[in-house]
Amino acid sequence: MTPEQVDLIRTSFDAMWPIRRDLADLCYNRFVELAPDARSLFGGDAEKQRMKMLDMITALVASLDERPMFQSLTTLSGHKHARLGVQPSHFVAMGEALMWSFERKFGAFFTPELRDSWRTLYATAQNEMLRAAGRPSSF
């Protein structure tokens, strides 16, 4: 990622923080619309799943300048997701749900540059998690 992309992500993350629960609800609901079979992978506690998603996004943003930390987070997460039975198509659906949610919550402030920055971050994390799980990347 470029330094400009990192700055855009951090700035938007700071703006997102006050609405993080709404964003997580919107994203998770959209995700299960796109991948209804994924609902059963995470048990019945949707709130817990939403919080885990927020925790992971927070950790990824915090580790943008710390490649070893980023690698460790994505590797661990990839192993956990593989044990749960998460498929590559679920990662794709989550990426789509996340971008869709950002567009809905940020509106015109979700510029093409910001969208590309978040897509780059998500694609990098997704590829690392899939690699750690021993699965081919979707990209």
Side-chain angles (χ1 to χ4, degrees):
M1 297 189 69
T2 69
E4 293 80 17
Q5 288 177 315
V6 170
D7 287 343
L8 284 171
I9 287 172
R10 287 201 170 122
T11 300
S12 65
F13 180 80
D14 290 344
M16 171 188 98
W17 193 251
I19 60 165
R20 67 191 178 279
R21 290 187 186 275
D22 291 340
L23 184 64
D25 288 344
L26 194 62
C27 183
Y28 185 80
N29 290 336
R30 179 68 175 162
F31 171 64
V32 295
E33 286 175 12
L34 295 171
D37 61 315
R39 186 184 305 258
S40 64
L41 296 174
F42 303 111
D45 192 347
E47 179 63 21
K48 183 177 178 182
Q49 188 56 39
R50 288 178 180 98
M51 297 317 307
K52 285 183 179 185
M53 180 185 69
L54 286 173
D55 289 346
M56 184 62 172
I57 291 171
T58 301
L60 290 173
V61 170
S63 69
L64 284 173
D65 292 329
E66 301 291 333
R67 183 67 185 165
M69 176 73 75
F70 186 91
Q71 187 69 44
S72 179
L73 287 165
T74 55
T75 297
L76 178 62
S77 184
H79 290 300
K80 286 182 177 182
H81 281 80
R83 283 193 306 272
L84 289 171
V86 174
Q87 299 298 310
S89 62
H90 296 136
F91 284 98
V92 172
M94 178 54 78
E96 290 176 19
L98 187 61
M99 295 308 120
W100 182 87
S101 300
F102 283 153
E103 289 170 0
R104 297 305 175 281
K105 283 296 187 182
F106 289 117
F109 294 105
F110 197 61
T111 64
E113 295 82 12
L114 183 55
R115 181 181 299 110
D116 288 344
S117 298
W118 275 103
R119 280 188 177 156
T120 299
L121 173 58
Y122 186 81
T124 302
Q126 172 186 310
N127 290 338
E128 293 294 327
M129 286 191 276
L130 288 169
R131 184 195 56 73
R135 301 205 173 157
S137 172
S138 302
F139 291 99

